Amino acid sequence: MACCPSIAKLLFNMLLLLLTFPCFLLAKLSICLHCGRNPRPRSCLRRLIVQMTSFQWRLALWLVCWIRIQRQGFKEAARAVSGSSRPAVIIANHLSMMDAIMLLSAAPPSLAPRVKVFASGRLLKIPIVGTLVRSMGHLFVPFTTSSAEAGMQVDKDKMQVVQQALEDHVRAGGVAAWFPEGALNKGDPAEPAQFRAGGFVLPARVDVEIWGIAFLGTGDCWPPTENFGGRPSRVWASCFKIHSSSHDVLSGEMGGPGLEDERAASLYLAEFCHAQIRSEVRQLRAEKGPAKE
């Protein structure tokens, strides 16, 4: 469908704001009821906010006919994670703000509240979005620098507290998700940036299933250098199991460094998962072709 990019962006953002605003009001109410603190992980109101936002964003993506979205593997992955007693993590390449919308909108109502995202603390400064993610109980990377060019340094003491909270969530039966590049990839979308090893401390400590999501085209729909998205485009997302056991990946049989050295294990997992995500993204590009309409 031919559509002027400027009009498409205006309609997309108006629709997204209209459908997100009720979720924002509910999130604001939740924060007020909890006296400014994050809601309890098993709070009914928190579950409602997550499920409602997931539904509203799914509706928004269905209505924007100029953005052609193709997903593969998500239903199978959701059934597998929901039906398994094994802890799990989800990682994905990061091209755009659209990735987060795609991720939450693809999660079924039964699974979405179990997912806790390890996100950048800068999201808290974005109007509406900051209130939403806070009310959902997500955790934030305590960056001390403001850009990737500045090195993305973190407050190590605060980082340990956040990592422990995420680990406790996974051990209790939750699912952890994050974008291990640590920032939007503004380069070649088929070449994910280096995965930061810090997040992989969790799968080095806890034996988890590792699931991957490869995004392609989201950066054309919502360019990483722009504040607003919605350009006419084709977008693909592929969800797949990277491995059923993070500790098996680290075993000597697979060429891993073992579990004794946590830093070495984290680095190895980061490199291993990076290779799997990059391979899937390249396969999508080879099969689907250019993303722009």
Side-chain angles (χ1 to χ4, degrees):
M1 173 181 176
C3 186
C4 172
S6 297
I7 295 176
K9 288 175 64 176
L10 177 62
L11 292 175
F12 173 80
N13 286 282
M14 287 178 61
L15 181 62
L16 190 62
L17 178 61
L18 179 66
L19 292 174
T20 303
F21 197 69
C23 308
F24 163 73
L25 293 178
L26 194 59
K28 200 73 173 176
L29 173 63
S30 173
I31 292 174
C32 290
L33 290 177
H34 289 86
C35 301
R37 298 188 298 272
N38 289 336
R40 297 186 304 276
R42 299 186 183 276
S43 163
C44 292
L45 191 52
R46 174 191 169 273
R47 291 179 61 89
L48 178 59
I49 294 168
V50 174
Q51 292 171 338
M52 183 178 177
T53 306
S54 176
F55 174 80
Q56 295 290 84
W57 285 358
R58 191 179 308 121
L59 177 60
L61 295 181
W62 181 75
L63 290 172
V64 288
C65 54
W66 57 90
I67 302 174
R68 297 164 57 188
I69 299 173
Q70 295 183 29
R71 296 187 180 97
Q72 61 188 41
F74 281 85
K75 291 182 179 179
E76 296 79 4
R79 284 197 295 266
V81 174
S82 298
S84 174
S85 59
R86 299 262 298 138
V89 300
I90 302 169
I91 59 171
N93 63 315
H94 202 11
L95 301 172
S96 163
M97 288 289 290
M98 190 73 170
D99 301 335
I101 297 174
M102 292 273 292
L103 180 61
L104 182 57
S105 66
S110 60
L111 180 59
R114 289 179 53 199
V115 179
K116 194 177 285 287
V117 177
F118 200 25
S120 169
R122 303 179 196 117
L123 289 178
L124 292 172
K125 300 178 181 179
I126 302 177
I128 299 181
V129 173
T131 301
L132 265 180
V133 295
R134 184 181 175 192
S135 70
M136 291 178 183
H138 294 311
L139 299 171
F140 302 96
V141 180
F143 286 118
T144 58
T145 53
S146 60
S147 67
E149 291 76 13
M152 294 192 298
Q153 299 300 314
V154 300
D155 185 313
K156 294 183 179 179
D157 293 334
K158 291 181 180 179
M159 186 67 171
Q160 289 180 356
V161 174
V162 173
Q163 285 179 321
Q164 186 60 55
L166 193 63
E167 181 180 330
D168 293 343
H169 171 73
V170 170
R171 289 187 184 276
V175 178
W178 71 96
F179 298 105
E181 289 166 282
L184 296 175
N185 179 10
K186 299 178 183 179
D188 184 351
E191 288 293 336
Q194 181 181 8
F195 283 6
R196 294 171 61 86
F200 290 91
V201 169
L202 192 159
R205 292 177 179 174
V206 185
D207 188 19
V208 298
E209 291 182 351
I210 307 176
W211 291 83
I213 300 177
F215 289 112
L216 183 66
T218 53
D220 295 299
C221 176
W222 192 328
T225 56
E226 297 183 10
N227 293 326
F228 301 99
R231 291 170 176 263
S233 55
R234 291 185 293 169
V235 174
W236 296 276
S238 174
C239 186
F240 63 102
K241 181 185 283 189
I242 292 178
H243 206 280
S244 58
S245 169
S246 58
H247 284 186
D248 281 356
V249 173
L250 293 170
S251 66
E253 290 79 1
M254 289 193 64
L259 302 174
E260 291 77 16
D261 187 334
E262 189 175 270
R263 177 62 178 169
S266 301
L267 286 167
Y268 185 84
L269 283 171
E271 293 174 359
F272 178 84
C273 292
H274 181 273
Q276 302 302 311
I277 294 288
R278 180 177 59 182
S279 175
E280 189 70 11
V281 173
R282 287 181 170 180
Q283 184 174 341
L284 284 175
R285 171 180 270 186
E287 292 176 353
K288 309 300 182 181
K292 292 183 180 179
E293 288 287 276

